[in-house]
């Protein structure tokens, strides 16, 4: 009997070590509730998931510690976004979209700057209202340019909330006791809380509310002395068949008109993605691959330079900095 129990304990220990070392289970990125953003990544985290390094600084950004003000001679860019900017567990810290933008800017560095710094303020499933909340909570860190990276779904994002923190295994608030515990929790069927479902069921013009959040974000950035730009990547299915669905086309047209009316530089990646072999740009149906981060990052670097040097405004299709690499 005792040898059976001993063998079981050894098997559990081996499984626990394997899940921690191979997948990083037992040490997930943690979240905290926030009155402005609804939720954000808990500050000061260092961990690995599936071999990828993840670092969260004191301002809940995915990146190293920063000073509130940039060093003299620095072009500072604040990127705001959801999981596309954040990169999640599938993106190593060294392959983040923000770092690809920074690398592009170092090559295209506008005159008068000795160095470039691109900040990454993002979290899974954030929308324009979460991103506005972040700037209202922390400011722009004296960034000369602020870039909001949206995807098509973000135009329909619900209001900031923290209802399911600690309930949804994707948004934990504390470490699980075991990696095996986390693995089991992630396999269980998850049902959104009634409060969260009510937000999804809430009637009204959700697109209009999110455009209003972008308008207020533009005002906040301008008051801080910066310039706002918007970019939007498409869902992978928008590149197939008949393209975006009818309601998505309408929402896209509204965003284009909004950007023109507000004189906000807007970079729509859909036309450019349609003109290239885009399958290698995607990790899954929505998120970018390592190649996608590099390709999109270079485009965004050119957008930042255009915004800073030329004060570009209005909507535009993505430039083609790399040609068609495939």
């Amino acid at each position: 009997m005792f040898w059976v129990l001993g063998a079981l304990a050894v098997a559990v220990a081996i499984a626990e070590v394997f899940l921690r070392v191979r997948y990083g289970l037992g040490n997930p990125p943690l979240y905290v509730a926030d009155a402005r953003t609804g939720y954000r990544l808990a500050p000061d985290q260092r961990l690995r998931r599936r071999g990828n390094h993840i670092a969260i600084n004191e301002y809940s950004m995915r990146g190293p510690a920063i000073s509130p003000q940039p060093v003299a001679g620095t072009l500072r860019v604040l990127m705001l976004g959801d999981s596309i900017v954040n990169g999640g567990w599938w993106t190593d810290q060294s392959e983040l979209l923000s770092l690809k933008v920074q690398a592009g800017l170092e090559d295209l560095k506008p005159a008068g700057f000795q160095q470039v710094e691109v900040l990454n303020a993002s979290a899974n499933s954030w929308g324009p209202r979460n991103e506005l909340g972040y700037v209202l909570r922390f400011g722009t860190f004296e960034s000369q340019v602020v870039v909001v990276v949206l995807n098509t779904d973000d135009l329909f994002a619900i209001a900031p909330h923290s209802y399911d923190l600690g309930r949804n295994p994707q948004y934990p608030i504390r470490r699980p006791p075991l990696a095996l515990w986390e693995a089991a929790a992630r396999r269980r069927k998850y049902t959104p809380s009634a409060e969260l479902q009510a937000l999804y069921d809430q009637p009204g013009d959700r697109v209009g509310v999110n455009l209003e959040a972008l308008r207020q974000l533009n005002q906040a950035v301008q008051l801080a002395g910066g310039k706002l730009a918007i970019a939007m990547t498409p869902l992978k299915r928008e590149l197939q068949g008949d393209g975006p669905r009818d309601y998505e086309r309408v929402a896209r047209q509204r965003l284009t008109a909004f950007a023109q009316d507000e004189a906000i530089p807007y970079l729509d990646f859909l036309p450019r993605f349609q003109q290239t072999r885009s399958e290698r740009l995607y990790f899954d149906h929505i998120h970018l691959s390592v190649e996608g981060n590099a390709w999109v990052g270079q485009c965004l670097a050119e957008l930042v330079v255009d915004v800073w040097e030329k004060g570009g405004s209005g909507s535009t299709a993505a430039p083609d900095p790399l040609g068609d690499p495939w």
Side-chain angles (χ1 to χ4, degrees), residues 169 180-189:
L180 288 164
W181 182 290
E182 183 183 355
R186 287 178 175 270
R187 292 184 64 85
R188 289 196 296 267
K189 183 179 179 180

Side-chain angles (χ1 to χ4, degrees), residues 55-248:
I56 311 298
N57 71 13
E58 66 272 41
Y59 296 106
S60 295
M61 296 177 179
R62 187 160 181 190
I66 64 165
S67 61
Q69 298 83 30
V71 175
T74 300
L75 172 61
R76 175 174 276 187
V77 177
L78 173 63
M79 291 185 65
L80 299 167
D82 60 4
S83 52
I84 291 174
V85 173
N86 185 265
W89 59 262
W90 57 90
T91 309
D92 186 78
Q93 201 75 16
S94 63
E95 301 291 348
L96 291 174
L97 177 59
S98 50
L99 287 185
K100 300 306 179 182
V101 176
Q102 183 167 308
L105 286 171
E106 287 169 349
D107 292 334
L108 301 169
K109 197 180 302 175
F113 294 105
Q114 285 74 55
Q115 58 186 355
V116 177
E117 187 177 26
V118 180
L119 312 181
N120 184 326
S122 57
N124 293 350
S125 298
W126 267 10
R129 286 176 276 183
N130 305 89
E131 291 143 8
L132 170 63
Y134 185 91
V135 168
L136 295 178
R137 172 79 165 80
F138 291 108
T140 65
F141 302 91
E142 299 187 11
S143 300
Q144 293 94 335
V145 180
V146 176
V147 180
V148 179
V149 179
L150 306 173
N151 70 78
T152 308
D153 282 347
D154 290 341
L155 296 175
F156 308 93
I158 61 175
H161 67 89
S162 58
Y163 292 133
D164 278 14
L165 292 191
R167 292 184 71 256
N168 186 336
Q170 302 294 330
Y171 298 92
I173 58 175
R174 60 179 64 89
R175 308 276 182 230
L178 296 169
L180 288 164
W181 182 290
E182 183 183 355
R186 287 178 175 270
R187 292 184 64 85
R188 289 196 296 267
K189 183 179 179 180
Y190 166 71
T191 302
S193 66
E195 295 87 351
L196 179 55
Q197 190 59 51
L199 281 182
Y200 282 109
D201 295 339
Q202 195 173 54
D205 181 12
R206 199 180 296 172
V207 174
V209 172
N210 284 312
L211 292 179
E212 172 61 21
L214 291 173
R215 187 187 67 80
Q216 293 181 29
L217 178 59
N218 187 38
Q219 289 181 335
V221 170
Q222 289 178 337
L223 286 173
K227 300 178 181 180
L228 179 70
I230 300 172
M232 187 160 72
T233 59
L235 305 172
K236 191 174 183 179
R237 65 164 170 75
E238 293 183 87
L239 306 172
Q240 303 164 352
D242 296 329
R245 295 167 180 168
D246 289 344
Y247 69 90
E248 292 169 338

